[in-house]
Amino acid sequence: MRKSEKARKYGVSPNKAAPMLALAVLLAGCAQSGNNPPEGSKENEENQMTKEPIELVVLSRLSEAMFKDSLADPVRKKYPNVTLKQLSFTGKLDELISSNVPIDILDSNTVTIYDSSRMKLAEDLTPYMKRFSVNLSALDERILEAVNKTYYFEGKLLALPITVGVASLHFNKDLFDKFGVPYPKDGMTWEEVREIAKKMTRKEGGVQYRGIELHLDSTMVRNQLSLPVVDQKTKQAAVTTAGWERWFDTMKSLYEIEGNVPERDKWGTGTPTFLKDRTIAMYAIATMFGPLPDAVKAGLNWDVVTLPSFSDIPNTTIQPWMPSLAVSTQSKHKDEAFQVIAFIFSEEGQLANTKIGRPSVLKNPEINKHFGESIEVLRGKNAAAYRKNKLAVVSPSNTEYDDVAYSILKDKFREFVYGDKDRNTALREAEEAINKKIAEALQK
């Protein structure tokens, strides 16, 4: 296939006075934030966004609506001459890159930091940060820690975080009302929530109701205990540890409640079971603002509290999971691409995203006070629960093998839950399988 044909194949596709005053002050601060050069200076003129019409292509797997709301619209409002065009892609990354499709900005949901480093896809942002007076000191402490541990390769900063994923405990208010059980509260431990789940798990009218379900991508992969799965130095699995034994035992105890284990063919279907079937009382998962509106229209009466914590690390949610943006090495508009990323990273850009339910990465507490203001289904809900807990400490080891390692570990946890394996066997087999996968990858 000729390069031009490949390019076509991957073509770009398609009493409110006080709060309002506080918002006005915040917006004024946004406009003045940063160490910007004096107006009228030569440096200022050189660092301004071009006034010419420009289209920047963003490689991103965000939904069309989320891309528009979180990136395209805020950027267009800030820079009316700049259009962001989304390039959705699900095929082989190396094939896309070789096709010479113009790409200006990379979304980490599509191209991981490790891919960016390995394939030399992302620009080192360090010189751009200096030139455009952008620094990392505004970041939340935990997020800054995560950036320092995972965003630098060979001394190069490859991306900037633009939001942070959080997990909470969603619950079905109608089920609690039906069974006469008090609602869960913020600040609970896993042991306290297990006692509530026992009361909510029952069979009634031929329907099996389950007290709690876990979304493992939220609760295991970004676990609150900050446990690694692969040792960064040895490139060996790190799951036969007391920490993982504790995590496995604590989470299995929820499924040991009689009637709370899903049928085998229903494993991993917690989201539709909670939202549509409405037979799960509590669901530990990240935000679900995409499917929640339809579920509410269909009759779901829900609310949310903070994610349960381990007793020795109270009021702690998951580790930072940070969608990020990078400047493509293929871009012909690198300065403009970085300026777009810097805007989304700024207080002004973070405020716009926070209002639509994308938590801010910055430490300014005023921004998160506006969390979810534009989300209809959050009105009247305990929206503060999404950001009330502190983020967990970042795992001491993060590697390019973590995704495959967690895939294996999730499978072994499932076997443990169903009694196919005891805990020690499950963890030992997970370690062996992970090491085998790493060895295969290192031989390529």
Side-chain angles (χ1 to χ4, degrees):
M1 184 182 291
R2 294 193 303 271
K3 288 184 177 180
S4 61
E5 293 172 336
K6 287 183 179 179
R8 284 194 294 271
K9 176 180 178 182
Y10 300 113
V12 175
S13 60
N15 205 329
K16 292 186 178 179
M20 289 302 294
L21 178 59
L23 178 58
V25 171
L26 175 59
L27 287 171
C30 292
Q32 298 173 18
S33 63
N35 301 316
N36 297 315
E39 287 189 25
S41 69
K42 181 178 180 181
E43 183 182 358
N44 186 292
E45 292 177 4
E46 291 176 348
N47 290 342
Q48 286 183 349
M49 175 66 79
T50 178
K51 302 300 182 183
E52 298 298 319
I54 186 172
E55 180 178 277
L56 299 175
V57 178
V58 184
L59 184 61
S60 173
R61 286 180 182 160
L62 287 175
S63 68
E64 186 176 333
M66 182 55 72
F67 181 85
K68 178 177 182 295
D69 292 344
S70 66
L71 298 178
D73 284 357
V75 168
R76 174 55 68 92
K77 184 177 180 180
K78 178 68 175 180
Y79 302 118
N81 59 307
V82 178
T83 301
L84 297 189
K85 196 80 171 181
Q86 182 177 15
L87 172 58
S88 299
F89 176 72
T90 57
K92 292 182 178 180
L93 186 58
D94 55 354
E95 187 178 344
L96 173 65
I97 300 305
S98 66
S99 71
N100 278 351
V101 172
I103 300 171
D104 300 292
I105 297 173
L106 306 170
D107 181 344
S108 66
N109 286 324
T110 306
V111 183
T112 69
I113 295 288
Y114 299 105
D115 286 335
S116 293
S117 174
R118 177 176 57 85
M119 302 177 70
K120 311 297 183 186
L121 301 179
E123 285 283 311
D124 177 14
L125 298 185
T126 307
Y128 296 91
M129 300 278 285
K130 183 177 181 180
R131 189 187 323 152
F132 292 101
S133 303
V134 178
N135 61 69
L136 300 177
S137 63
L139 285 172
D140 171 272
E141 179 185 4
R142 289 279 189 259
I143 295 173
L144 177 58
E145 179 187 10
V147 168
N148 287 334
K149 284 184 177 180
T150 62
Y151 278 35
Y152 283 91
F153 288 79
E154 299 177 348
K156 298 176 181 179
L157 176 64
L158 298 187
L160 282 180
I162 57 170
T163 187
V164 60
V166 294
S168 306
L169 187 69
H170 299 73
F171 65 95
N172 186 318
K173 297 176 70 174
D174 284 344
L175 290 186
F176 278 86
D177 294 341
K178 179 184 178 73
F179 300 141
V181 177
Y183 299 150
K185 301 176 181 179
D186 289 336
M188 302 184 80
T189 65
W190 285 110
E191 289 76 19
E192 290 171 327
V193 167
R194 184 179 187 275
E195 293 305 307
I196 295 175
K198 287 166 65 176
K199 296 175 183 178
M200 294 300 296
T201 303
R202 64 183 74 188
K203 194 166 187 177
E204 189 167 296
V207 178
Q208 179 64 56
Y209 294 97
R210 297 176 50 222
I212 190 168
E213 179 61 281
L214 304 174
H215 185 259
L216 293 183
D217 282 345
S218 303
T219 56
M220 175 189 278
V221 177
R222 294 293 173 184
N223 66 85
Q224 296 157 294
L225 296 177
S226 308
L227 304 170
V229 280
V230 177
D231 186 282
Q232 199 164 347
K233 294 181 179 178
T234 65
K235 299 294 189 291
Q236 293 288 292
V239 298
T240 54
T241 64
W244 277 115
E245 289 174 1
R246 181 187 183 190
W247 192 95
F248 264 50
D249 289 344
T250 300
M251 299 308 161
K252 189 191 178 182
S253 73
L254 304 174
Y255 293 103
E256 288 177 331
I257 299 169
E258 186 176 354
N260 195 51
V261 180
E263 296 179 10
R264 286 181 182 264
D265 63 345
K266 297 295 184 180
W267 181 262
T269 62
T271 301
T273 307
F274 178 81
L275 293 175
K276 297 179 181 179
D277 299 343
R278 303 198 288 279
T279 55
I280 293 176
M282 298 178 288
Y283 189 27
I285 189 175
T287 56
M288 298 187 290
F289 299 141
L292 263 173
D294 287 341
V296 170
K297 288 178 183 177
L300 177 67
N301 182 16
W302 72 287
D303 212 330
V304 62
V305 294
T306 56
L307 188 71
S309 297
F310 288 84
S311 58
D312 55 332
I313 46 172
N315 305 313
T316 300
T317 187
I318 58 174
Q319 297 173 60
W321 169 69
M322 307 170 304
S324 58
L325 296 176
V327 175
S328 169
T329 53
Q330 295 183 331
S331 176
K332 296 180 180 179
H333 309 285
K334 294 183 174 69
D335 282 0
E336 292 81 4
F338 178 79
Q339 286 173 283
V340 163
I341 296 172
F343 165 67
I344 298 297
F345 179 78
S346 72
E347 290 191 344
E348 185 178 352
Q350 289 291 288
L351 179 61
N353 271 262
T354 297
K355 288 182 176 181
I356 63 170
R358 287 165 67 83
S360 173
V361 298
L362 305 181
K363 60 187 176 185
N364 185 342
E366 293 300 317
I367 295 176
N368 279 320
K369 288 181 181 179
H370 300 278
F371 178 79
E373 282 184 350
S374 301
I375 302 177
E376 181 67 31
V377 293
L378 266 184
R379 293 187 181 155
K381 305 301 180 186
N382 182 28
Y386 289 108
R387 289 308 309 266
K388 198 170 186 178
N389 277 358
K390 62 180 178 289
L391 292 163
V393 174
V394 182
S395 168
S397 179
N398 295 272
T399 77
E400 62 268 41
Y401 311 109
D402 286 3
D403 286 349
V404 66
Y406 273 116
S407 178
I408 293 169
L409 194 62
K410 284 186 287 187
D411 284 344
K412 293 302 175 181
F413 178 68
R414 184 189 70 245
E415 293 177 3
F416 177 46
V417 166
Y418 286 111
D420 301 332
K421 304 280 173 62
D422 62 68
R423 181 245 290 151
N424 290 344
T425 300
L427 288 173
R428 188 188 70 250
E429 290 184 355
E431 183 139 316
E432 293 169 352
I434 292 168
N435 286 336
K436 182 178 180 181
K437 286 290 186 181
I438 293 174
E440 291 172 355
L442 290 172
Q443 290 174 0
K444 291 181 180 179

